[in-house]
Amino acid sequence: MTPETNVLLVEDEPQIRRFVRTTLEGEGCRVFEAESGQRGLIEAGTRKPDLLIVDLGLPDMDGVELIREFRSWSEAPVLILSARSDERDKVEALDAGADDYLTKPFGVGELAARVRALQRRRLKGLEASPKVSFGRVELDLSRRTVLRDGQPIHLTPIEYRLLGVLVGNAGKVMTHRSLMREVWGPNYGDSGHYLRIYMSHLRQKLEADPAQPVHFLTETGVGYRFQP
Amino acid sequence: MAGDSHITRGKAYAWALAASLLTAGVATLLRHVLDLANIVMLFLLTVFLVARWLGRGPAVMATFLSVALFDVFFVPPRFSFAVSDVQYLVTFAVMLAVGLVTAELTTGLKHQAEVALQKERDAHGLYELARDLAGVIGLEQLEAALGRYLSGLGFEAALHFLDDQGHLPSLADKPLPLRLALMATAQGEPVEMDDPGDLSRLVIPLKGPMRVRGVMIVGAADLANLATDRQLLGTVASLVALTVERLHYVDVAQASQIEVTSERLRSSVLSALSHDLRTPLTALVGMADSLALSRETMSEATRSLAAGIRDQARAMSHLLGNLLDMARLHAGKVQLRREWQLFEDVVSASLHLLRPNLGDHPVQVGLPPDMPLVEFDAVLLERVVCNLVENAAKYSPPGSSIEIRAFVDGDRAGISVCDQGRGFPPGQLERVFGLFERGQAESSTPGVGLGLAISRAIVEAHGGTIVAANRPEGGACVTLRLPLGTPPAIEAEPSEIQEKKP
């Protein structure tokens, strides 16, 4: 049985709420709407949504604040809608606990795909498998082996750790800061260039065309996303 | 000096002569009452008074005259220079010596008193000038206060200020003063200009605490006057320079105040514009896309109309992004968020973003695996690469390939984007970066020529260069280069080194 997904949409613009609602209902979700941050917090408390969609440019409160509050008691995925081109807001929201973002304007196809990916992640978290495969790569987390086209690939400990973190958060946008913290520890905050070098190594070793990667994607100004 | 200046030299000597003769006359009348010794005193008193009022020359003359008159009229035998008693020779010598010393001392004292008085006047004048200058709030007022002060001294003055490039625009059409003024500012010392048939002038640099601000050209009828008051004029120049500098920083402070205010206004207008325009565009894109993908029965034509609306709204949003970026860049207030990173990230992210817009253009990417880290703002550079690739797709025939290549060239790292289209119109390779410039004057390809202008603004903000070229085999190439700098060191993983050993 697949339980119906309850989605809470916090967005002040009624026209945007309308088509987002239509799209989500087309995906079989039940949609609750809130037109302000305060209203959103109340709705979140009563509806206990399985997915929260928040516009970062709310008139009454900072969307980041809302996400932080929500995260303090819920593990449900959070998707940001951001009209601002300023990457800093997205990074802040992601570091506050958001899982993914969509930059306005976005198509309904993109929206549906993101929502589906977040739902999948939520359900998949329950049945963790030690074996992951993407493209021509097979990763066995229990035996710590990486195969590409059936051939073993040698990864350094840091490369392996980075791969592990990315695969563990598949589909999710990881900010530079959170990746640095997970792989190098909290003291490497300012050495973002290490992350870029090692990401490049992973692409060289695991992508079919490292210059046009399909799994290790750059979210410019924000971080990276692993797409299985 | 002031009280006596109307007494000319000749008159002074005449007065000295008259005084000496008068003394001789009075002494003759008193000859039977007074001793010769006291008559000597009368003569000395005269010498002293002459020295006090008429100056040194007349006093010396009065001394000799007194000795002679005393000898002739009083010392026996009278009415002859002969002296009966040799003792009187001593009297003459003493009289002469005392007279000369008195003349010297008195006039010296008087001169010193005059100098002191003059200095006091100068100091008072300078004090008043300084007080006036402290209150001025503009260069016109400064010039007026200075003119008032210097005309009191019998001078006239003009101020000429250096501009930011070190030129003196107000002297541009006067070659000689310009040359002397530049000499004075370069040396930091006053330069004299003796112009026959005109006023003599002294060109004094205005040396402020931070830098030389210009020159003050002082004119007087006679170069000698300028020479005596040179020190005073130097002080005046310092006061003026300080005032000019103060006015300069008042301007700077006001300008930055205005700039802050207008900057705040501009950025709030921009973000309001950005929000207010993007919100309806978002709704438009979303709703048109809903229609285009709708499962309800609709004719293919209706569906493609909806898709058309969606694509146009998207293009408009893209244009809006470019316009807002350009506005921010033009305001010169974009803060670059520079980080050390790889071109690889930017190129791959741009291609990922553009994938739906590239149609059937195959893209060839040449990224050497050993490209160094370069310091840049990833978001802005992504916009540059997107613009270049989009242009390449827009201006080349469908199906032709686009090449993106990264390279290191001396102390610069670059990216070039080349297509197989018609290339840029020859002779316009520089002009294509101008605002709203497009290759062809009238073209059916959509989009204002904003992309290249923004690209150039972004690259130049990074201290880089961007050039357009046509390839000999056909097609356009745009190449950007950024300075390499010194990338941070990367420590190799210990295990990596160990594992290289057999």
Side-chain angles (χ1 to χ4, degrees):
Chain A
M1 59 152 216
T2 41
E4 191 176 47
T5 309
N6 287 330
V7 180
L8 175 60
L9 170 61
V10 188
E11 160 70 63
D12 59 311
E13 195 57 44
Q15 300 302 330
I16 296 178
R17 279 210 304 272
R18 199 161 85 183
F19 84 82
V20 171
R21 174 182 206 116
T22 317
T23 309
L24 293 176
E25 281 172 352
E27 292 294 310
C29 301
R30 215 162 99 202
V31 183
F32 303 100
E33 293 179 18
E35 72 293 335
S36 71
Q38 291 303 338
R39 191 76 224 142
L41 274 179
I42 296 167
E43 287 285 316
T46 51
R47 307 288 182 189
K48 304 272 187 294
D50 307 308
L51 172 63
L52 178 66
I53 301 181
V54 187
D55 176 19
L56 275 192
L58 291 172
D60 63 330
M61 73 186 283
D62 193 352
V64 176
E65 208 46 55
L66 176 72
I67 293 166
R68 218 170 265 139
E69 198 107 337
F70 181 70
R71 256 295 161 266
S72 64
W73 56 267
S74 175
E75 286 289 308
V78 175
L79 175 64
I80 310 160
L81 306 180
S82 168
R84 309 181 204 173
S85 52
D86 193 349
E87 265 56 32
R88 249 172 291 191
D89 297 321
K90 292 175 194 158
V91 170
E92 214 186 321
L94 290 166
D95 279 338
D99 296 83
D100 203 348
Y101 67 85
L102 270 175
T103 303
K104 293 180 183 178
F106 50 86
V108 294
E110 285 171 84
L111 173 65
R114 295 293 164 91
V115 169
R116 254 177 264 144
L118 287 172
Q119 272 174 295
R120 245 198 330 269
R121 263 171 48 73
R122 188 170 66 90
L123 299 173
K124 214 172 175 182
L126 308 173
E127 26 136 353
S129 150
K131 289 200 176 179
V132 182
S133 67
F134 55 92
R136 294 179 301 177
V137 178
E138 283 168 55
L139 169 65
D140 189 331
L141 291 165
S142 62
R143 291 166 54 201
R144 298 178 71 85
T145 55
V146 185
L147 299 179
R148 176 174 164 176
D149 295 331
Q151 295 296 312
I153 297 280
H154 172 72
L155 294 183
T156 68
I158 290 184
E159 286 165 8
Y160 186 81
R161 209 148 62 221
L162 179 57
L163 179 62
V165 172
L166 287 168
V167 168
N169 292 283
K172 185 178 166 177
V173 180
M174 299 291 286
T175 62
H176 293 126
R177 203 192 308 170
S178 62
L179 279 174
M180 289 299 296
R181 200 177 44 229
E182 300 244 357
V183 178
W184 279 271
N187 299 331
Y188 274 83
D190 291 335
S191 333
H193 53 280
Y194 276 90
L195 175 59
R196 294 179 171 110
I197 296 270
Y198 280 96
M199 192 58 88
S200 169
H201 290 175
L202 279 185
R203 282 181 184 148
Q204 307 275 354
K205 290 179 180 179
L206 303 179
E207 287 278 1
D209 180 0
Q212 300 190 57
V214 290
H215 303 297
F216 300 94
L217 303 178
T218 305
E219 298 285 337
T220 304
V222 176
Y224 291 98
R225 179 205 303 270
F226 173 72
Q227 197 74 55
Chain B
M1 198 199 284
D4 304 334
S5 55
H6 57 279
I7 302 179
T8 60
R9 253 159 201 271
K11 268 191 184 161
Y13 282 98
W15 278 106
L17 176 68
S20 304
L21 290 177
L22 184 68
T23 311
V26 172
T28 309
L29 293 177
L30 299 173
R31 196 161 56 87
H32 304 291
V33 187
L34 294 178
D35 276 347
L36 281 185
N38 286 333
I39 287 171
V40 169
M41 291 300 156
L42 281 182
F43 277 109
L44 284 180
L45 176 65
T46 307
V47 168
F48 174 78
L49 291 176
V50 168
R52 171 71 188 81
W53 296 118
L54 302 174
R56 190 198 289 133
V60 170
M61 189 197 79
T63 308
F64 282 102
L65 203 57
S66 298
V67 173
L69 288 170
F70 179 63
D71 177 17
V72 171
F73 290 102
F74 301 97
V75 177
R78 291 180 67 207
F79 308 111
S80 128
F81 281 109
V83 176
S84 59
D85 193 342
V86 184
Q87 260 196 92
Y88 285 109
L89 291 181
V90 178
T91 311
F92 295 157
V94 171
M95 206 175 150
L96 200 60
V98 170
L100 289 178
V101 170
T102 305
E104 188 62 37
L105 282 180
T106 316
T107 51
L109 206 62
K110 192 177 143 205
H111 177 68
Q112 276 173 19
E114 274 165 10
V115 168
L117 194 68
Q118 184 60 32
K119 286 216 162 133
E120 199 263 323
R121 273 194 212 119
D122 288 351
H124 187 70
L126 277 178
Y127 164 74
E128 291 202 328
L129 177 66
R131 199 186 51 194
D132 287 353
L133 292 188
V136 304
I137 50 167
L139 289 177
E140 296 76 21
Q141 286 185 333
L142 164 66
E143 277 170 340
L146 180 69
R148 262 197 314 277
Y149 170 76
L150 286 180
S151 66
L153 294 176
F155 298 128
E156 57 169 59
L159 295 175
H160 303 277
F161 301 108
L162 286 167
D163 63 14
D164 292 337
Q165 284 82 42
H167 299 311
L168 285 158
S170 52
L171 280 176
D173 52 345
K174 296 174 191 144
L176 177 68
L178 179 65
R179 204 156 50 82
L180 294 175
L182 290 177
M183 207 156 92
T185 54
Q187 295 171 349
E189 294 292 331
V191 175
E192 282 167 12
M193 172 163 75
D194 200 3
D195 195 355
D198 193 10
L199 294 173
S200 297
R201 292 176 199 280
L202 191 61
V203 183
I204 310 173
L206 298 172
K207 281 191 282 185
M210 303 305 288
R211 65 177 179 88
V212 176
R213 296 273 161 201
V215 292
M216 177 170 85
I217 300 185
V218 185
D222 174 6
L223 198 56
N225 278 353
L226 284 174
T228 44
D229 283 327
R230 200 161 159 156
Q231 209 183 349
L232 176 71
L233 291 172
T235 314
V236 171
S238 304
L239 278 175
V240 171
L242 271 176
T243 310
V244 172
E245 193 138 306
R246 177 175 66 78
L247 292 176
H248 171 72
Y249 284 113
V250 167
D251 280 355
V252 169
Q254 274 175 351
S256 69
Q257 178 70 38
I258 291 169
E259 202 174 341
V260 165
T261 320
S262 66
E263 191 43 46
R264 207 171 292 150
L265 182 68
R266 179 161 36 211
S267 73
S268 67
V269 166
L270 281 180
S271 60
L273 208 68
S274 160
H275 179 262
D276 290 356
L277 289 176
R278 219 166 281 188
T279 301
L281 281 176
T282 304
L284 199 57
V285 168
M287 291 192 273
D289 201 25
S290 303
L291 268 186
L293 301 178
S294 148
R295 287 173 199 146
E296 279 152 47
T297 44
M298 253 198 296
S299 73
E300 203 43 49
T302 316
R303 235 180 252 284
S304 88
L305 273 180
I309 294 174
R310 175 197 61 200
D311 294 346
Q312 290 302 307
R314 259 189 205 283
M316 208 147 125
S317 163
H318 181 72
L319 202 61
L320 175 67
N322 262 349
L323 271 171
L324 291 173
D325 269 9
M326 197 67 212
R328 289 198 186 96
L329 283 164
H330 255 234
K333 289 292 175 261
V334 168
Q335 280 205 339
L336 296 182
R337 305 215 305 142
R338 285 180 172 209
E339 283 174 54
W340 289 100
Q341 43 206 328
L342 298 165
F343 281 158
E344 174 186 310
D345 279 328
V346 173
V347 170
S348 64
S350 306
L351 290 178
H352 191 75
L353 273 180
L354 288 179
R355 182 61 62 207
N357 310 8
L358 287 180
D360 51 358
H361 289 281
V363 180
Q364 288 161 15
V365 186
L367 273 172
D370 55 347
M371 277 300 286
L373 287 163
V374 185
E375 199 179 25
F376 56 84
D377 183 317
V379 176
L380 290 179
L381 201 67
E382 184 186 79
R383 191 173 278 288
V384 174
V385 174
C386 278
N387 279 327
L388 298 186
V389 175
E390 240 188 342
N391 269 358
K394 222 189 277 180
Y395 294 103
S396 61
S400 63
S401 75
I402 297 168
E403 287 167 46
I404 305 173
R405 204 168 58 82
F407 59 90
V408 174
D409 173 14
D411 59 350
R412 315 215 128 201
I415 300 175
S416 66
V417 177
C418 302
D419 62 41
Q420 297 177 344
R422 272 195 286 169
F424 296 106
Q428 293 197 4
L429 291 178
E430 177 58 26
R431 276 188 58 205
V432 293
F433 291 106
L435 207 49
F436 300 109
E437 199 77 57
R438 279 201 297 180
Q440 280 102 26
E442 279 301 325
S443 145
S444 58
T445 318
V448 278
L450 202 54
L452 285 176
I454 289 172
S455 300
R456 174 153 85 173
I458 292 173
V459 171
E460 286 180 352
H462 282 83
T465 56
I466 187 164
V467 290
N470 285 328
R471 297 199 289 183
E473 65 268 32
C477 251
V478 181
T479 306
L480 67 91
R481 290 181 172 82
L482 299 183
L484 263 179
T486 318
I490 299 281
E491 287 173 41
E493 262 181 280
S495 63
E496 229 176 347
I497 297 166
Q498 280 164 16
E499 273 166 291
K500 274 180 189 159
K501 290 175 191 164

